[in-house]
Amino acid sequence: MLRRTFFQMAGAATGMAALAAAPAEARVEININRGNVEPMPIAVSDFLQGDLGRKISDVVAADLKRSGLFAPINRSAFIEKISNPDAPPRFEDWKVINAQALVTGRVTQEGDGRLKAEFRLWDVFSNQQMTGQQFFTQPENWRRVAHIIADAIYERITGEKGYFDTRIVYVAESGPKTARKRQLAIMDQDGFNSRALTNSNDIVLTPRFSPNKQEITYMSFEGQQPRVYLLQLETGQREVVGNFPGMTFSPRFSPDGQRVIMSLQQDGNANIYTMDLRSRTTTRLTSTAAIDTSPSYAPDGGRIVFESDRGGRQQLYVMSANGAGQTRISFGDGSYSTPVWSPRGDLIAFTKQSGGKFSIGVMKPDGSGERILTTGFHNEGPTWAPNGRVIMFFRQNAGAGGPQLYSIDLTGYNEQLIPTQGFASDPAWSPLLE
């Protein structure tokens, strides 16, 4: 069962206890706006005490490494063995192995059975502590503690919010290609803690998170009838958004979570509608003799990007939230699809098909600055990390048995395979958990 808050965090204003944060002149930082950033050497020591402490530090190191911005140093190179994480380390020992930052920590069990995890981040060059925080949780939630610690380190060094304490909902695929079973599944962003959300032979497509993180919308062909559903992650309760004639697909929440925007197909055409989830009233936003689909709101809710073949092939269009001012923004070779607005509001990610290949790219909301991040036999379905710095998508390689999930940095570097138990497609990244 997923809960909004697994933790009772010490402290008041920020929900975390700061353990003597360092002055602002600490020198360790990464400018993530530059392309091809050289990863920062960082030492993540074993958290005291015991096996669980080491597991937490392993997850912290793995998160930081996977971001492409950090290069955790092999612990066999460490000179000093941390025995008291509260005391300043021997900085010279860490300079010798070229560590620019050092993470120390401890894990203890409270009298009530809760786990207490605390860490400190040290600037090796300036001999200062940069930040220190502590968390309380139930022992079974230790992996989430590790992700939150990695987020805190990422934010302190880069100045940007992290994205490690998040979930991915996706379509898990299994079985032979001619009889593929597709279920909804959810997992941590690093591929761990995967579990099924549905268990039937009906096709499921396009799962998307609500801004409140406890609800998803998706499309299912249950009973051979395509419908859009809402699923409560905590209770497992689900409901049909509405019964519409024809086909409904590509549902997505509005930024405030009060509406679902989707495409409804009737008489061979598909247009974009919104539905108010409280009143269940629908509003039609496009009216063309074409296929308008894959709508996605800007984070402020004021504009919508969508794909349409009204010009002869799939291209990207932007309109106001009320449907006014529909303007084409993609003009490159090939066709464009699956647009999704960055949570920062500055870019739109898309799939581009050209020359027999599929690419994942980004462009500005006015269509300028198009950049291709990765190209392959079949790449599709981009989704943004909540900090707008990383994109996940699914890829089907030529001759492969099925699709897999990948992530890539916004600069086009650091492509990573996301481990899943079987084939996987159609990922959707959650907001940061609370």
Side-chain angles (χ1 to χ4, degrees), residues 16 30 57 74 151 176 186 258 284 304 319 351 359 426:
M16 306 178 196
I30 296 176
S57 58
N74 193 304
D151 278 333
I186 192 169
Q258 300 301 312
R284 183 170 180 166
I304 296 165
M319 62 182 171
T351 302
S359 302
D426 237 338

Side-chain angles (χ1 to χ4, degrees), residues 1 61 66 102-103 151 178 180 190 258 296 301 337 353 387 403 418:
M1 178 182 294
R66 198 169 50 257
L102 166 67
V103 181
D151 278 333
T178 55
R180 187 66 50 86
D190 58 356
Q258 300 301 312
S296 172
S337 60
Q353 184 179 4
N387 69 352
I418 308 300

Side-chain angles (χ1 to χ4, degrees), residues 299-337:
D300 64 2
R303 289 179 293 171
I304 296 165
V305 63
F306 63 100
E307 67 176 84
S308 175
D309 65 355
R310 63 184 66 180
R313 62 183 180 183
Q314 293 167 293
Q315 298 293 337
L316 304 187
Y317 292 76
V318 168
M319 62 182 171
S320 297
N322 63 3
Q326 299 174 23
T327 304
R328 178 175 165 179
I329 63 169
S330 62
F331 293 93
D333 294 334
S335 59
Y336 296 74
S337 60

Side-chain angles (χ1 to χ4, degrees), residues 228-256:
V228 173
Y229 288 85
L230 297 178
L231 175 67
Q232 298 290 335
L233 292 175
E234 186 163 343
T235 65
Q237 180 181 353
R238 66 173 193 152
E239 59 181 311
V240 177
V241 170
N243 289 308
F244 306 99
M247 196 174 192
T248 58
F249 49 99
S250 299
R252 195 182 291 269
F253 286 95
S254 61
D256 61 7

Side-chain angles (χ1 to χ4, degrees), residues 113-178:
R114 290 182 305 159
L115 203 68
K116 178 183 178 182
E118 49 192 315
F119 83 97
R120 296 175 189 264
L121 174 64
W122 305 90
D123 182 336
V124 172
F125 288 122
S126 63
N127 298 357
Q128 298 181 67
Q129 179 179 309
M130 299 177 70
T131 190
Q133 298 170 11
Q134 61 185 10
F135 311 92
F136 298 88
T137 185
Q138 297 303 314
E140 61 267 23
N141 297 324
W142 65 269
R143 289 192 66 89
R144 187 167 176 212
V145 174
H147 293 319
I148 291 178
I149 290 172
D151 278 333
I153 295 167
Y154 182 102
E155 182 175 0
R156 182 62 181 87
I157 294 178
T158 69
E160 298 275 356
K161 287 285 188 183
Y163 57 91
F164 306 118
D165 185 30
T166 55
R167 303 285 187 266
I168 305 294
V169 63
Y170 64 101
V171 176
E173 302 188 14
S174 60
K177 191 173 183 179
T178 55

Side-chain angles (χ1 to χ4, degrees), residues 81-104:
K81 183 176 181 179
I82 300 296
S83 59
N84 180 7
D86 298 327
R90 297 196 304 265
F91 289 105
E92 292 304 318
D93 287 353
W94 300 98
K95 292 174 185 176
V96 167
I97 63 173
N98 196 35
Q100 296 184 34
L102 166 67
V103 181
T104 62

Side-chain angles (χ1 to χ4, degrees), residues 52-74:
L52 188 56
R54 183 181 180 90
K55 287 180 178 179
I56 289 176
S57 58
D58 284 346
V59 172
V60 171
D63 279 348
L64 296 175
K65 180 178 181 180
R66 198 169 50 257
S67 75
L69 300 177
F70 299 89
I73 297 171
N74 193 304

